[in-house]
Amino acid sequence: MPSELHDTLVQLFRDQPVFIKQVINNDTRIAHEPFTHARLVSENATVLKSTERRTDATIELFNEETVARLIVVLEVQLRIDKDKLRTWPTYVCRMHEDMDCPIVLVVICTDEKTAQWASRPIEIGPVNSQITPVALGPASVPQIVDPDSADATPEMTVLSVIMHSHTDLGTRIIDAMDTVLATIDTTRAADYTDYAMGLLRGKPRAYLEALMSTATAPYHSEFAGRFYKKGKAEGQAQGRAEGQARGRSEGRAEGQAKMLLILLDHRGIALSKTDRHKIQTCTDTDLLQTWAVRATSAETVADIFD
């Protein structure tokens, strides 16, 4: 059964089919003309009625001026699975029959071991009969720390966070994604943040949560509405027992204080016991919001409180 990671990576390409052009553009294994457009086509690669085959996504790249076309059969592969060596060739052959144009099988992998396995030629006959997937692992995805770089499209920054947030550059990569997503429409930005948040664990997730709590970007409030939905429900339940309005306010302040402490920890700003107590006991959500905004660029504790 497909995992959340698998489905999220597939959805990233489904949301913006043209993203595949950026992913394969600099890959020397794929010789092609420049393409100007991209669109999803049917993922159905069925050969026999009794056996249904569906690719993760199938994208047609084309250039209206030169009439050049390329079909990208996209697969997301999270682990080595020898059964794929039998099914992948059927995808390519069936699409070649239906579309009558060049076909390339692109496999997105989240670890290099799987990428190396998936990139091997698949032998289907004794006389140079083989299909060679183009496998892309973490090494093929840039570690984007500069939001102004040429690679820093919204989709690539999200993919960079998914692939590299656990590295030493993790917080800078998350910062770059946050900056880039603030430049696109709020719904799309909130969706992409959902994708990243759903897959991050541990410190990278905590850091992204802290960024979201600052509401410094236009889409943060929309995302926060989704992310804190569960917390709000819990706060409302507590409020019915102790006073609904007070429960919500205290719950929100406690959450903001927690996120602020996480953000300061990741930015390496040392706190005294007095400073930490001041944050933990603050019930003024507007003041906590002000401190959180300052914390994104502060160098010392004084920069936050003064």
Side-chain angles (χ1 to χ4, degrees):
M1 180 178 294
S3 65
E4 182 181 10
L5 175 56
H6 174 280
D7 289 346
T8 297
L9 289 171
V10 172
Q11 193 60 44
L12 197 59
F13 290 92
R14 285 179 170 275
D15 286 347
Q16 292 291 322
V18 74
F19 178 40
I20 194 65
K21 185 164 73 78
Q22 182 184 6
V23 171
I24 69 173
N25 217 29
N26 298 322
D27 198 302
T28 57
R29 292 170 291 180
I30 306 174
H32 57 76
E33 296 186 43
F35 296 108
T36 57
H37 297 77
R39 61 190 171 204
L40 288 172
V41 296
S42 173
E43 292 85 17
N44 195 314
T46 299
V47 178
L48 300 174
K49 289 185 178 179
S50 60
T51 305
E52 183 179 17
R53 305 262 190 231
R54 286 191 175 274
T55 67
D56 286 334
T58 304
I59 301 169
E60 180 183 11
L61 296 173
F62 59 98
N63 187 316
E64 292 181 336
E65 294 184 359
T66 64
V67 199
R69 298 169 65 211
L70 176 68
I71 298 295
V72 178
V73 175
L74 179 71
E75 285 286 293
V76 172
Q77 193 63 32
L78 306 182
R79 59 181 177 82
I80 295 174
D81 181 356
K82 294 182 179 179
D83 288 342
K84 296 294 185 179
L85 302 182
R86 292 184 290 107
T87 58
W88 284 344
T90 67
Y91 298 166
V92 174
C93 294
R94 182 57 177 168
M95 286 298 170
H96 186 267
E97 178 185 354
D98 283 350
M99 308 303 292
D100 191 26
C101 70
I103 313 290
V104 61
L105 172 62
V106 175
V107 184
I108 305 295
C109 306
T110 54
D111 68 275
E112 288 303 320
K113 182 179 180 180
T114 303
Q116 291 174 10
W117 166 81
S119 65
R120 298 171 184 172
I122 302 172
E123 302 288 346
I124 57 176
V127 187
N128 296 325
S129 299
Q130 58 183 219
I131 290 175
T132 305
V134 175
L136 305 174
S140 302
V141 177
Q143 293 182 316
I144 299 177
V145 297
D146 179 6
D148 295 321
S149 67
D151 288 327
T153 62
E155 294 74 28
M156 189 60 84
T157 59
V158 174
L159 188 59
S160 185
V161 165
I162 292 172
M163 294 287 194
H164 303 300
S165 61
H166 61 283
T167 67
D168 292 340
L169 295 174
T171 55
R172 293 179 61 191
I173 293 171
I174 293 173
D175 285 339
M177 179 192 73
D178 187 54
T179 300
V180 171
L181 294 188
T183 66
I184 63 177
D185 69 88
T186 55
T187 299
R188 186 172 154 214
D191 285 343
Y192 284 0
T193 308
D194 273 334
Y195 295 167
M197 185 69 78
L199 298 178
L200 297 185
R201 298 291 183 270
K203 290 185 177 180
R205 179 185 173 93
Y207 184 74
L208 182 54
E209 288 176 3
L211 281 182
M212 294 304 101
S213 73
T214 65
T216 56
Y219 71 93
H220 283 185
S221 58
E222 181 171 340
F223 171 81
R226 302 179 188 182
F227 183 71
Y228 290 112
K229 186 176 181 181
K230 180 180 178 181
K232 181 179 178 181
E234 293 173 351
Q236 288 174 334
Q238 179 185 358
R240 283 192 294 269
E242 301 177 1
Q244 189 174 28
R246 181 181 177 184
R248 283 200 301 264
S249 178
E250 291 180 352
R252 183 182 177 193
E254 183 180 352
Q256 285 181 310
K258 179 181 178 181
M259 292 303 111
L260 176 56
L261 291 172
I262 291 172
L263 179 59
L264 293 172
D265 179 58
H266 280 282
R267 297 209 66 241
I269 298 178
L271 294 174
S272 66
K273 289 184 178 180
T274 301
D275 294 331
R276 187 172 295 274
H277 181 73
K278 183 176 182 179
I279 293 173
Q280 290 174 327
T281 57
C282 181
T283 59
D284 186 335
T285 56
D286 290 336
L287 182 57
L288 285 166
Q289 180 76 23
T290 299
W291 289 346
V293 171
R294 293 175 182 172
T296 60
S297 59
E299 298 296 331
T300 66
V301 174
D303 295 333
I304 300 169
F305 293 141
D306 292 345

